[in-house]
Coordinates of all heavy atoms in Angstrom, one line a residue:
M1 N -237.5 -89.3 -217.1 CA -237.4 -88.1 -216.4 C -236.0 -87.4 -216.7 O -235.0 -88.1 -216.7 CB -237.6 -88.4 -214.9 CG -237.8 -87.2 -214.1 SD -238.6 -87.7 -212.6 CE -238.2 -86.5 -211.5
K2 N -236.1 -86.2 -216.9 CA -234.9 -85.4 -217.2 C -234.0 -85.3 -216.0 O -234.4 -85.0 -214.9 CB -235.2 -84.1 -217.8 CG -234.1 -83.3 -218.3 CD -234.6 -82.0 -218.9 CE -233.4 -81.3 -219.5 NZ -233.8 -80.0 -220.1
N3 N -232.7 -85.5 -216.2 CA -231.7 -85.3 -215.1 C -231.6 -83.8 -214.9 O -231.0 -83.1 -215.7 CB -230.4 -86.0 -215.5 CG -229.5 -86.0 -214.3 OD1 -229.8 -85.6 -213.2 ND2 -228.3 -86.5 -214.5
S4 N -232.0 -83.3 -213.7 CA -231.9 -81.9 -213.5 C -230.8 -81.6 -212.5 O -230.9 -81.8 -211.3 CB -233.3 -81.4 -212.9 OG -233.5 -82.0 -211.6
R5 N -229.7 -81.1 -213.1 CA -228.6 -80.7 -212.3 C -228.4 -79.2 -212.5 O -228.7 -78.7 -213.6 CB -227.3 -81.4 -212.7 CG -227.3 -82.8 -212.5 CD -226.0 -83.4 -212.8 NE -226.0 -84.8 -212.7 CZ -225.0 -85.6 -212.9 NH1 -223.9 -85.1 -213.4 NH2 -225.1 -86.9 -212.8
K6 N -228.1 -78.5 -211.4 CA -227.9 -77.1 -211.5 C -226.4 -76.8 -211.6 O -225.6 -77.2 -210.8 CB -228.4 -76.4 -210.3 CG -229.9 -76.5 -210.2 CD -230.5 -75.6 -209.2 CE -232.0 -75.7 -209.2 NZ -232.6 -74.8 -208.3
Y7 N -226.0 -76.2 -212.7 CA -224.6 -75.8 -212.9 C -224.5 -74.3 -212.7 O -225.3 -73.5 -212.9 CB -224.2 -76.1 -214.4 CG -224.2 -77.6 -214.7 CD1 -225.3 -78.1 -215.4 CD2 -223.2 -78.4 -214.3 CE1 -225.3 -79.5 -215.7 CE2 -223.2 -79.7 -214.5 CZ -224.2 -80.3 -215.3 OH -224.2 -81.6 -215.5
K8 N -223.3 -74.0 -212.1 CA -223.0 -72.7 -211.8 C -221.8 -72.2 -212.7 O -220.7 -72.7 -212.5 CB -222.6 -72.6 -210.3 CG -222.4 -71.2 -209.7 CD -222.1 -71.3 -208.2 CE -221.7 -70.0 -207.7 NZ -221.3 -70.1 -206.3
F9 N -222.1 -71.3 -213.6 CA -221.1 -70.9 -214.5 C -220.5 -69.5 -214.1 O -220.1 -68.8 -215.0 CB -221.7 -70.7 -215.9 CG -222.1 -72.1 -216.5 CD1 -223.4 -72.4 -216.7 CD2 -221.2 -73.0 -216.8 CE1 -223.8 -73.6 -217.2 CE2 -221.5 -74.2 -217.4 CZ -222.8 -74.5 -217.6
T10 N -220.5 -69.2 -212.9 CA -220.0 -68.0 -212.4 C -219.3 -68.2 -211.1 O -219.5 -69.2 -210.4 CB -221.1 -66.9 -212.2 OG1 -220.5 -65.7 -211.8 CG2 -222.1 -67.4 -211.2
D11 N -218.4 -67.3 -210.7 CA -217.7 -67.3 -209.4 C -218.4 -66.5 -208.4 O -217.9 -66.3 -207.3 CB -216.3 -66.8 -209.6 CG -215.5 -67.8 -210.4 OD1 -215.8 -69.0 -210.4 OD2 -214.5 -67.4 -211.0
K12 N -219.6 -66.0 -208.6 CA -220.3 -65.1 -207.7 C -220.8 -66.0 -206.5 O -221.2 -67.1 -206.6 CB -221.5 -64.5 -208.4 CG -221.2 -63.5 -209.4 CD -222.5 -62.9 -209.9 CE -222.3 -61.8 -210.9 NZ -223.5 -61.2 -211.4
N13 N -220.8 -65.3 -205.4 CA -221.3 -65.9 -204.1 C -222.3 -64.9 -203.5 O -222.4 -63.8 -204.0 CB -220.1 -66.1 -203.1 CG -219.2 -67.2 -203.6 OD1 -219.6 -68.2 -204.1 ND2 -217.9 -67.0 -203.4
Q14 N -223.0 -65.4 -202.5 CA -223.9 -64.5 -201.8 C -223.1 -63.5 -200.9 O -222.0 -63.8 -200.5 CB -224.8 -65.3 -200.8 CG -225.8 -66.2 -201.5 CD -226.8 -65.5 -202.3 OE1 -227.1 -64.3 -202.1 NE2 -227.4 -66.2 -203.2
S15 N -223.7 -62.3 -200.8 CA -223.0 -61.3 -200.0 C -223.0 -61.6 -198.5 O -224.1 -61.9 -198.0 CB -223.8 -60.0 -200.3 OG -223.4 -59.0 -199.4
I16 N -221.9 -61.5 -197.9 CA -221.8 -61.7 -196.5 C -222.6 -60.7 -195.7 O -223.3 -61.0 -194.8 CB -220.3 -61.7 -196.0 CG1 -219.5 -62.8 -196.8 CG2 -220.2 -61.9 -194.5 CD1 -220.0 -64.2 -196.5
G17 N -222.5 -59.4 -196.1 CA -223.3 -58.4 -195.5 C -224.7 -58.6 -195.7 O -225.5 -58.3 -194.7
G18 N -225.2 -59.1 -196.8 CA -226.6 -59.4 -197.0 C -227.1 -60.5 -196.1 O -228.2 -60.4 -195.6
I19 N -226.3 -61.5 -196.0 CA -226.7 -62.6 -195.1 C -226.7 -62.1 -193.7 O -227.7 -62.4 -192.9 CB -225.7 -63.8 -195.2 CG1 -225.8 -64.4 -196.6 CG2 -225.9 -64.8 -194.2 CD1 -224.7 -65.4 -197.0
F20 N -225.8 -61.3 -193.3 CA -225.7 -60.8 -191.9 C -226.9 -59.8 -191.7 O -227.5 -59.9 -190.6 CB -224.4 -60.0 -191.7 CG -224.2 -59.6 -190.3 CD1 -224.1 -60.5 -189.3 CD2 -224.0 -58.2 -190.0 CE1 -223.9 -60.1 -188.0 CE2 -223.8 -57.8 -188.7 CZ -223.7 -58.7 -187.7
S21 N -227.3 -59.0 -192.7 CA -228.5 -58.2 -192.6 C -229.7 -59.0 -192.4 O -230.6 -58.6 -191.6 CB -228.5 -57.3 -193.8 OG -229.7 -56.5 -193.8
S22 N -229.8 -60.1 -193.1 CA -231.0 -60.9 -193.0 C -231.1 -61.6 -191.7 O -232.2 -61.7 -191.1 CB -231.0 -62.0 -194.1 OG -231.0 -61.4 -195.4
I23 N -230.0 -62.0 -191.1 CA -229.9 -62.6 -189.8 C -230.3 -61.5 -188.7 O -231.1 -61.9 -187.8 CB -228.6 -63.2 -189.5 CG1 -228.3 -64.4 -190.4 CG2 -228.4 -63.6 -188.0 CD1 -226.9 -65.0 -190.3
I24 N -229.9 -60.3 -188.9 CA -230.3 -59.2 -188.0 C -231.8 -59.0 -188.0 O -232.4 -58.8 -187.0 CB -229.5 -58.0 -188.3 CG1 -228.0 -58.1 -187.9 CG2 -230.1 -56.8 -187.5 CD1 -227.1 -57.0 -188.3
A25 N -232.3 -59.0 -189.2 CA -233.8 -58.9 -189.3 C -234.5 -60.0 -188.6 O -235.5 -59.7 -187.9 CB -234.2 -58.8 -190.8
L26 N -234.1 -61.2 -188.8 CA -234.7 -62.3 -188.1 C -234.6 -62.2 -186.6 O -235.6 -62.4 -185.9 CB -234.1 -63.6 -188.5 CG -234.7 -64.9 -188.0 CD1 -236.1 -65.1 -188.5 CD2 -233.8 -66.1 -188.4
I27 N -233.5 -61.8 -186.1 CA -233.3 -61.6 -184.6 C -234.2 -60.4 -184.1 O -234.9 -60.5 -183.1 CB -231.8 -61.3 -184.3 CG1 -231.0 -62.5 -184.5 CG2 -231.7 -60.8 -182.8 CD1 -229.5 -62.3 -184.4
A28 N -234.3 -59.3 -184.9 CA -235.2 -58.2 -184.5 C -236.6 -58.6 -184.5 O -237.4 -58.2 -183.6 CB -235.0 -57.0 -185.5
I29 N -237.1 -59.5 -185.5 CA -238.5 -59.9 -185.5 C -238.7 -60.8 -184.3 O -239.8 -60.7 -183.6 CB -238.7 -60.7 -186.8 CG1 -238.8 -59.7 -187.9 CG2 -240.0 -61.5 -186.7 CD1 -238.9 -60.4 -189.3
I30 N -237.8 -61.7 -183.9 CA -237.9 -62.6 -182.8 C -238.0 -61.8 -181.5 O -238.9 -62.0 -180.6 CB -236.8 -63.6 -182.7 CG1 -236.9 -64.6 -183.9 CG2 -236.8 -64.3 -181.4 CD1 -235.8 -65.5 -184.0
I31 N -237.2 -60.8 -181.3 CA -237.2 -59.9 -180.1 C -238.5 -59.2 -180.0 O -239.1 -59.1 -178.9 CB -236.0 -59.0 -180.1 CG1 -234.7 -59.8 -179.8 CG2 -236.1 -57.9 -179.0 CD1 -233.4 -59.0 -180.0
F32 N -239.0 -58.7 -181.1 CA -240.2 -57.9 -181.1 C -241.4 -58.9 -180.8 O -242.3 -58.5 -180.0 CB -240.5 -57.3 -182.5 CG -241.7 -56.4 -182.6 CD1 -241.7 -55.2 -181.9 CD2 -242.8 -56.9 -183.2 CE1 -242.9 -54.4 -182.0 CE2 -244.0 -56.1 -183.3 CZ -244.0 -54.9 -182.7
A33 N -241.4 -60.1 -181.3 CA -242.4 -61.1 -181.0 C -242.4 -61.5 -179.6 O -243.5 -61.6 -179.0 CB -242.3 -62.3 -181.9
I34 N -241.3 -61.6 -179.0 CA -241.2 -61.9 -177.6 C -241.8 -60.7 -176.7 O -242.5 -61.0 -175.8 CB -239.7 -62.1 -177.1 CG1 -239.2 -63.4 -177.7 CG2 -239.6 -62.1 -175.6 CD1 -237.7 -63.7 -177.5
G35 N -241.5 -59.5 -177.2 CA -242.1 -58.3 -176.5 C -243.6 -58.3 -176.6 O -244.3 -58.0 -175.6
V36 N -244.1 -58.6 -177.8 CA -245.6 -58.7 -178.0 C -246.2 -59.8 -177.1 O -247.3 -59.6 -176.5 CB -245.9 -58.9 -179.5 CG1 -247.4 -59.2 -179.7 CG2 -245.6 -57.6 -180.3
F37 N -245.5 -60.9 -177.1 CA -246.0 -62.1 -176.3 C -246.1 -61.7 -174.8 O -247.1 -62.0 -174.1 CB -245.2 -63.3 -176.5 CG -245.6 -64.5 -175.7 CD1 -246.7 -65.2 -176.0 CD2 -244.9 -64.9 -174.5 CE1 -247.1 -66.3 -175.2 CE2 -245.3 -65.9 -173.8 CZ -246.4 -66.7 -174.1
I38 N -245.0 -61.1 -174.3 CA -245.0 -60.7 -172.9 C -246.1 -59.7 -172.6 O -246.7 -59.7 -171.6 CB -243.6 -60.1 -172.5 CG1 -242.5 -61.3 -172.5 CG2 -243.6 -59.5 -171.1 CD1 -241.1 -60.8 -172.4
S39 N -246.3 -58.7 -173.5 CA -247.3 -57.7 -173.3 C -248.7 -58.3 -173.3 O -249.6 -58.0 -172.5 CB -247.2 -56.7 -174.4 OG -248.2 -55.7 -174.3
Y40 N -248.9 -59.3 -174.2 CA -250.2 -60.0 -174.2 C -250.4 -60.8 -173.0 O -251.6 -60.8 -172.4 CB -250.2 -60.9 -175.5 CG -251.5 -61.7 -175.6 CD1 -252.7 -61.1 -176.0 CD2 -251.5 -63.1 -175.3 CE1 -253.8 -61.8 -176.1 CE2 -252.7 -63.8 -175.4 CZ -253.8 -63.2 -175.8 OH -255.0 -63.9 -175.9
T41 N -249.4 -61.5 -172.5 CA -249.7 -62.3 -171.3 C -249.9 -61.5 -170.0 O -250.5 -61.9 -169.1 CB -248.5 -63.3 -171.0 OG1 -247.3 -62.6 -171.0 CG2 -248.4 -64.3 -172.1
N42 N -249.3 -60.2 -170.0 CA -249.5 -59.3 -168.9 C -250.7 -58.4 -169.1 O -250.8 -57.4 -168.4 CB -248.3 -58.5 -168.6 CG -247.1 -59.4 -168.1 OD1 -247.4 -60.4 -167.4 ND2 -245.9 -59.0 -168.4
K43 N -251.5 -58.6 -170.1 CA -252.7 -57.8 -170.5 C -252.4 -56.4 -170.7 O -253.1 -55.5 -170.3 CB -253.7 -58.0 -169.4 CG -254.2 -59.4 -169.2 CD -255.2 -59.6 -168.1 CE -255.6 -61.0 -168.1 NZ -256.1 -61.5 -166.8
G44 N -251.2 -56.2 -171.4 CA -250.9 -54.8 -171.8 C -250.0 -54.1 -170.8 O -249.6 -52.9 -171.0
N45 N -249.7 -54.7 -169.7 CA -248.9 -54.0 -168.6 C -247.5 -54.6 -168.6 O -247.1 -55.3 -167.6 CB -249.6 -54.2 -167.3 CG -251.0 -53.6 -167.2 OD1 -251.1 -52.5 -167.8 ND2 -251.9 -54.2 -166.6
G46 N -246.8 -54.3 -169.6 CA -245.4 -54.9 -169.7 C -244.4 -54.1 -169.0 O -243.4 -54.6 -168.5
G47 N -244.6 -52.8 -169.0 CA -243.6 -51.9 -168.4 C -242.3 -51.7 -169.1 O -242.3 -51.7 -170.3
L48 N -241.3 -51.6 -168.4 CA -239.9 -51.3 -168.9 C -239.4 -52.4 -169.8 O -238.7 -52.1 -170.8 CB -239.0 -51.1 -167.7 CG -237.6 -50.6 -168.1 CD1 -237.6 -49.2 -168.8 CD2 -236.7 -50.5 -166.8
I49 N -239.7 -53.6 -169.5 CA -239.2 -54.7 -170.3 C -239.6 -54.7 -171.7 O -238.9 -54.8 -172.7 CB -239.6 -56.1 -169.7 CG1 -238.9 -56.3 -168.3 CG2 -239.2 -57.3 -170.6 CD1 -239.4 -57.5 -167.5
I50 N -240.9 -54.3 -171.9 CA -241.5 -54.2 -173.3 C -240.8 -53.1 -174.0 O -240.5 -53.2 -175.2 CB -243.0 -54.0 -173.2 CG1 -243.7 -55.1 -172.5 CG2 -243.6 -53.9 -174.6 CD1 -243.4 -56.5 -173.0
G51 N -240.6 -52.0 -173.4 CA -239.9 -50.8 -174.0 C -238.5 -51.1 -174.4 O -238.1 -50.7 -175.5
L52 N -237.8 -51.8 -173.5 CA -236.4 -52.2 -173.8 C -236.3 -53.2 -175.0 O -235.5 -53.1 -175.9 CB -235.7 -52.8 -172.6 CG -235.4 -51.8 -171.5 CD1 -234.8 -52.5 -170.3 CD2 -234.4 -50.8 -172.0
L53 N -237.3 -54.1 -175.0 CA -237.3 -55.1 -176.2 C -237.6 -54.4 -177.5 O -237.0 -54.7 -178.5 CB -238.3 -56.2 -175.9 CG -237.9 -57.2 -174.8 CD1 -239.0 -58.2 -174.6 CD2 -236.6 -58.0 -175.2
G54 N -238.5 -53.4 -177.4 CA -238.8 -52.6 -178.6 C -237.7 -51.8 -179.1 O -237.4 -51.7 -180.3
L55 N -237.0 -51.2 -178.1 CA -235.8 -50.3 -178.4 C -234.7 -51.2 -179.0 O -234.1 -50.8 -180.0 CB -235.3 -49.6 -177.2 CG -234.1 -48.7 -177.4 CD1 -234.5 -47.5 -178.3 CD2 -233.6 -48.2 -176.0
V56 N -234.4 -52.3 -178.5 CA -233.4 -53.2 -179.0 C -233.7 -53.7 -180.4 O -232.9 -53.6 -181.3 CB -233.2 -54.5 -178.1 CG1 -232.3 -55.5 -178.8 CG2 -232.5 -54.0 -176.8
S57 N -235.0 -54.0 -180.6 CA -235.4 -54.4 -182.0 C -235.3 -53.2 -183.0 O -234.9 -53.4 -184.1 CB -236.9 -54.9 -181.9 OG -237.3 -55.3 -183.2
F58 N -235.7 -52.0 -182.5 CA -235.5 -50.8 -183.3 C -234.1 -50.5 -183.7 O -233.8 -50.3 -184.9 CB -236.1 -49.6 -182.6 CG -236.2 -48.4 -183.3 CD1 -237.1 -48.2 -184.4 CD2 -235.4 -47.3 -183.0 CE1 -237.2 -47.0 -185.1 CE2 -235.5 -46.1 -183.7 CZ -236.4 -46.0 -184.7
L59 N -233.2 -50.6 -182.7 CA -231.8 -50.4 -183.0 C -231.2 -51.5 -183.9 O -230.3 -51.2 -184.8 CB -231.0 -50.3 -181.7 CG -231.3 -49.1 -180.8 CD1 -230.6 -49.2 -179.5 CD2 -231.0 -47.8 -181.5
L60 N -231.6 -52.7 -183.7 CA -231.1 -53.8 -184.6 C -231.5 -53.6 -186.0 O -230.8 -53.8 -186.9 CB -231.6 -55.2 -184.1 CG -230.8 -55.8 -182.9 CD1 -231.5 -57.1 -182.4 CD2 -229.4 -56.1 -183.3
S61 N -232.7 -53.1 -186.2 CA -233.2 -52.9 -187.5 C -232.4 -51.7 -188.2 O -232.1 -51.8 -189.4 CB -234.7 -52.6 -187.6 OG -235.0 -51.3 -187.0
N62 N -232.0 -50.7 -187.4 CA -231.2 -49.6 -187.9 C -229.8 -50.2 -188.4 O -229.3 -49.9 -189.5 CB -230.9 -48.6 -186.9 CG -232.1 -47.6 -186.7 OD1 -232.8 -47.4 -187.6 ND2 -232.3 -47.2 -185.5
I63 N -229.2 -51.0 -187.6 CA -227.9 -51.7 -187.9 C -228.1 -52.5 -189.1 O -227.3 -52.6 -190.1 CB -227.4 -52.5 -186.7 CG1 -227.0 -51.5 -185.6 CG2 -226.2 -53.3 -187.1 CD1 -226.7 -52.2 -184.3
G64 N -229.2 -53.3 -189.2 CA -229.5 -54.2 -190.4 C -229.6 -53.4 -191.7 O -229.2 -53.8 -192.7
I65 N -230.3 -52.2 -191.6 CA -230.4 -51.4 -192.8 C -229.0 -50.9 -193.3 O -228.7 -51.0 -194.4 CB -231.4 -50.2 -192.5 CG1 -232.8 -50.7 -192.4 CG2 -231.3 -49.2 -193.7 CD1 -233.8 -49.7 -191.9
Y66 N -228.2 -50.5 -192.3 CA -226.9 -50.0 -192.7 C -226.0 -51.1 -193.3 O -225.4 -50.9 -194.3 CB -226.2 -49.4 -191.4 CG -224.8 -49.0 -191.7 CD1 -224.5 -47.8 -192.3 CD2 -223.7 -49.8 -191.3 CE1 -223.2 -47.4 -192.6 CE2 -222.4 -49.4 -191.5 CZ -222.2 -48.2 -192.1 OH -220.9 -47.8 -192.4
V67 N -226.0 -52.3 -192.7 CA -225.2 -53.4 -193.2 C -225.8 -53.8 -194.6 O -225.0 -54.1 -195.5 CB -225.2 -54.6 -192.2 CG1 -224.6 -55.8 -192.8 CG2 -224.5 -54.2 -190.9
G68 N -227.1 -53.9 -194.7 CA -227.7 -54.2 -196.0 C -227.4 -53.3 -197.1 O -227.0 -53.7 -198.2
V69 N -227.4 -52.0 -196.8 CA -227.1 -51.0 -197.9 C -225.6 -51.1 -198.2 O -225.2 -51.0 -199.4 CB -227.5 -49.6 -197.4 CG1 -227.0 -48.5 -198.3 CG2 -229.0 -49.5 -197.3
K70 N -224.8 -51.2 -197.2 CA -223.3 -51.4 -197.5 C -223.0 -52.6 -198.3 O -222.0 -52.6 -199.0 CB -222.5 -51.4 -196.2 CG -222.5 -50.1 -195.4 CD -221.8 -49.0 -196.1 CE -220.3 -49.1 -195.9 NZ -219.6 -48.0 -196.5
S71 N -223.8 -53.7 -198.2 CA -223.5 -54.9 -198.9 C -223.8 -54.8 -200.4 O -223.2 -55.6 -201.2 CB -224.3 -56.1 -198.3 OG -225.7 -55.9 -198.7
F72 N -224.5 -53.7 -200.8 CA -224.7 -53.5 -202.2 C -223.4 -53.0 -202.9 O -223.4 -53.0 -204.1 CB -225.8 -52.5 -202.5 CG -227.2 -53.2 -202.3 CD1 -228.0 -52.8 -201.2 CD2 -227.7 -54.1 -203.2 CE1 -229.2 -53.4 -201.0 CE2 -228.9 -54.7 -203.0 CZ -229.7 -54.3 -201.9
Q73 N -222.5 -52.6 -202.2 CA -221.2 -52.0 -202.7 C -220.2 -53.1 -203.1 O -219.2 -52.8 -203.7 CB -220.6 -51.0 -201.7 CG -221.5 -49.8 -201.5 CD -220.9 -48.9 -200.5 OE1 -219.9 -49.2 -199.8 NE2 -221.5 -47.7 -200.4
E74 N -220.5 -54.3 -202.6 CA -219.6 -55.4 -202.9 C -219.7 -55.8 -204.4 O -220.8 -55.7 -205.0 CB -219.9 -56.6 -202.1 CG -219.7 -56.4 -200.6 CD -220.1 -57.6 -199.8 OE1 -220.1 -58.7 -200.3 OE2 -220.5 -57.3 -198.6
D75 N -218.6 -56.2 -205.0 CA -218.6 -56.5 -206.4 C -218.6 -58.0 -206.6 O -218.2 -58.8 -205.8 CB -217.3 -56.0 -207.1 CG -217.3 -54.5 -207.2 OD1 -218.4 -53.9 -207.3 OD2 -216.2 -53.9 -207.1
E76 N -219.2 -58.4 -207.8 CA -219.2 -59.8 -208.2 C -219.9 -60.8 -207.2 O -219.4 -61.8 -206.8 CB -217.8 -60.4 -208.5 CG -217.2 -59.7 -209.7 CD -217.9 -59.9 -211.0 OE1 -218.4 -61.0 -211.2 OE2 -218.0 -58.9 -211.8
I77 N -221.1 -60.4 -206.7 CA -221.8 -61.2 -205.8 C -223.3 -61.2 -206.2 O -223.7 -60.5 -207.1 CB -221.8 -60.6 -204.3 CG1 -222.3 -59.2 -204.3 CG2 -220.4 -60.7 -203.8 CD1 -222.6 -58.7 -202.9
F78 N -224.1 -62.1 -205.6 CA -225.5 -62.1 -205.7 C -226.1 -61.2 -204.7 O -225.6 -61.2 -203.5 CB -226.1 -63.6 -205.6 CG -225.6 -64.5 -206.7 CD1 -224.9 -65.6 -206.4 CD2 -226.1 -64.3 -208.0 CE1 -224.5 -66.4 -207.4 CE2 -225.7 -65.1 -209.0 CZ -224.9 -66.2 -208.7
Y79 N -227.1 -60.5 -205.0 CA -227.7 -59.6 -204.1 C -229.0 -60.0 -203.5 O -229.8 -59.2 -202.9 CB -227.9 -58.2 -204.8 CG -226.7 -57.6 -205.2 CD1 -226.3 -57.5 -206.6 CD2 -225.8 -57.0 -204.3 CE1 -225.1 -56.9 -207.0 CE2 -224.6 -56.4 -204.7 CZ -224.3 -56.4 -206.0 OH -223.1 -55.8 -206.4
H80 N -229.4 -61.3 -203.5 CA -230.6 -61.8 -203.0 C -230.8 -61.5 -201.5 O -231.8 -60.9 -201.1 CB -230.8 -63.3 -203.2 CG -230.8 -63.7 -204.6 ND1 -229.7 -64.2 -205.2 CD2 -231.7 -63.6 -205.6 CE1 -230.0 -64.4 -206.5 NE2 -231.2 -64.1 -206.8
F81 N -229.8 -61.9 -200.7 CA -229.9 -61.6 -199.3 C -229.7 -60.2 -198.9 O -230.3 -59.7 -197.9 CB -228.8 -62.5 -198.5 CG -229.2 -63.9 -198.4 CD1 -228.6 -64.9 -199.1 CD2 -230.2 -64.3 -197.5 CE1 -229.0 -66.2 -199.0 CE2 -230.6 -65.6 -197.4 CZ -230.0 -66.6 -198.2
S82 N -229.0 -59.4 -199.7 CA -228.9 -58.0 -199.5 C -230.3 -57.3 -199.6 O -230.7 -56.5 -198.8 CB -228.0 -57.3 -200.5 OG -226.7 -57.8 -200.4
W83 N -231.1 -57.7 -200.6 CA -232.4 -57.2 -200.8 C -233.3 -57.6 -199.7 O -234.1 -56.8 -199.1 CB -233.0 -57.6 -202.1 CG -232.5 -56.8 -203.3 CD1 -231.7 -57.2 -204.3 CD2 -232.9 -55.4 -203.6 NE1 -231.5 -56.1 -205.1 CE2 -232.2 -55.0 -204.7 CE3 -233.7 -54.5 -202.9 CZ2 -232.3 -53.8 -205.3 CZ3 -233.7 -53.2 -203.5 CH2 -233.1 -52.9 -204.7
I84 N -233.3 -58.9 -199.3 CA -234.1 -59.5 -198.3 C -233.9 -58.8 -197.0 O -234.8 -58.4 -196.3 CB -234.0 -61.0 -198.2 CG1 -234.5 -61.7 -199.4 CG2 -234.6 -61.5 -196.9 CD1 -234.2 -63.1 -199.5
G85 N -232.6 -58.7 -196.6 CA -232.2 -58.1 -195.3 C -232.6 -56.6 -195.2 O -233.1 -56.1 -194.2
T86 N -232.3 -55.9 -196.3 CA -232.5 -54.4 -196.3 C -234.0 -54.1 -196.2 O -234.5 -53.3 -195.4 CB -231.9 -53.8 -197.5 OG1 -230.5 -54.0 -197.6 CG2 -232.1 -52.3 -197.5
I87 N -234.8 -54.8 -197.0 CA -236.3 -54.5 -197.0 C -236.9 -55.0 -195.7 O -237.7 -54.3 -195.2 CB -236.9 -55.2 -198.3 CG1 -236.4 -54.5 -199.5 CG2 -238.4 -55.2 -198.2 CD1 -236.8 -55.2 -200.8
S88 N -236.5 -56.2 -195.2 CA -237.0 -56.7 -193.9 C -236.7 -55.7 -192.8 O -237.6 -55.4 -192.0 CB -236.5 -58.0 -193.6 OG -236.8 -59.0 -194.6
N89 N -235.5 -55.2 -192.7 CA -235.1 -54.3 -191.7 C -235.9 -53.0 -191.8 O -236.2 -52.3 -190.8 CB -233.6 -54.1 -191.6 CG -232.9 -55.2 -191.0 OD1 -233.2 -55.6 -189.9 ND2 -231.9 -55.8 -191.7
A90 N -236.1 -52.5 -193.1 CA -236.8 -51.3 -193.3 C -238.3 -51.4 -192.8 O -238.8 -50.5 -192.2 CB -236.7 -50.9 -194.7
I91 N -238.9 -52.6 -193.1 CA -240.3 -52.8 -192.7 C -240.3 -52.8 -191.1 O -241.2 -52.2 -190.5 CB -240.8 -54.1 -193.3 CG1 -241.0 -53.9 -194.8 CG2 -242.1 -54.5 -192.6 CD1 -241.3 -55.2 -195.5
I92 N -239.4 -53.4 -190.5 CA -239.4 -53.5 -189.0 C -239.2 -52.1 -188.5 O -239.8 -51.7 -187.5 CB -238.2 -54.4 -188.5 CG1 -238.5 -55.9 -188.9 CG2 -238.1 -54.3 -187.0 CD1 -237.3 -56.8 -188.8
F93 N -238.2 -51.3 -189.1 CA -238.0 -50.0 -188.6 C -239.2 -49.1 -188.7 O -239.6 -48.4 -187.8 CB -236.8 -49.4 -189.5 CG -236.6 -47.9 -189.2 CD1 -235.8 -47.6 -188.1 CD2 -237.1 -46.9 -190.0 CE1 -235.5 -46.2 -187.8 CE2 -236.8 -45.6 -189.7 CZ -236.0 -45.3 -188.7
V94 N -239.9 -49.1 -189.9 CA -241.1 -48.3 -190.1 C -242.2 -48.7 -189.1 O -242.9 -47.9 -188.5 CB -241.6 -48.4 -191.5 CG1 -242.9 -47.7 -191.7 CG2 -240.5 -47.7 -192.4
G95 N -242.4 -50.1 -188.9 CA -243.4 -50.6 -188.0 C -243.2 -50.1 -186.6 O -244.1 -49.7 -185.9
I96 N -242.0 -50.3 -186.1 CA -241.7 -49.9 -184.7 C -241.7 -48.4 -184.5 O -242.2 -47.9 -183.5 CB -240.4 -50.5 -184.2 CG1 -240.5 -52.0 -184.2 CG2 -240.0 -49.9 -182.8 CD1 -239.2 -52.7 -183.8
F97 N -241.3 -47.6 -185.6 CA -241.4 -46.2 -185.5 C -242.8 -45.7 -185.5 O -243.2 -44.8 -184.7 CB -240.7 -45.6 -186.7 CG -240.5 -44.1 -186.7 CD1 -239.6 -43.5 -185.8 CD2 -241.2 -43.3 -187.5 CE1 -239.5 -42.2 -185.7 CE2 -241.1 -41.9 -187.5 CZ -240.2 -41.3 -186.6
A98 N -243.7 -46.4 -186.2 CA -245.1 -46.1 -186.1 C -245.7 -46.4 -184.8 O -246.5 -45.6 -184.2 CB -245.9 -46.9 -187.2
I99 N -245.3 -47.5 -184.1 CA -245.8 -47.8 -182.8 C -245.3 -46.7 -181.8 O -246.0 -46.3 -180.9 CB -245.3 -49.2 -182.4 CG1 -246.0 -50.2 -183.2 CG2 -245.5 -49.4 -180.9 CD1 -245.5 -51.6 -183.0
I100 N -244.0 -46.2 -182.0 CA -243.5 -45.2 -181.1 C -244.3 -43.9 -181.3 O -244.7 -43.2 -180.3 CB -242.0 -45.0 -181.4 CG1 -241.2 -46.2 -180.9 CG2 -241.5 -43.7 -180.7 CD1 -239.8 -46.1 -181.3
L101 N -244.6 -43.5 -182.5 CA -245.4 -42.3 -182.8 C -246.8 -42.4 -182.2 O -247.3 -41.4 -181.8 CB -245.4 -42.0 -184.3 CG -244.1 -41.5 -184.9 CD1 -244.3 -41.2 -186.4 CD2 -243.6 -40.2 -184.2
I102 N -247.4 -43.6 -182.3 CA -248.7 -43.8 -181.8 C -248.7 -43.6 -180.3 O -249.6 -43.1 -179.7 CB -249.3 -45.1 -182.2 CG1 -249.6 -45.2 -183.7 CG2 -250.6 -45.5 -181.4 CD1 -250.0 -46.5 -184.2
G103 N -247.6 -44.1 -179.6 CA -247.5 -44.0 -178.2 C -247.2 -42.6 -177.7 O -247.4 -42.3 -176.5
I104 N -246.8 -41.7 -178.5 CA -246.4 -40.4 -178.0 C -247.7 -39.6 -177.9 O -248.6 -39.3 -177.8 CB -245.5 -39.7 -179.0 CG1 -244.1 -40.4 -178.9 CG2 -245.3 -38.2 -178.7 CD1 -243.1 -39.8 -179.8

């Protein structure tokens, strides 16, 4: 069996902003899921709590998009987490925005 070692021939690291954006997306998804769960257990009668959880998730996704886009300006880094965080936050943003428009 071949000895498989991974060598790194570069000084590049992951983007701190990209990692932070990905963490924000994960937190926004968790908050949104908690809101959906509370709404489901209350048979759709969540009230103000559900609205606040949705608003917090929406605002977090906005912040995550901003941080993710800013992380593309860093030099000599890998952009994996920047892409993951930015796209995840954009999907969350569009999804919650669609829910808001449906509710209006």
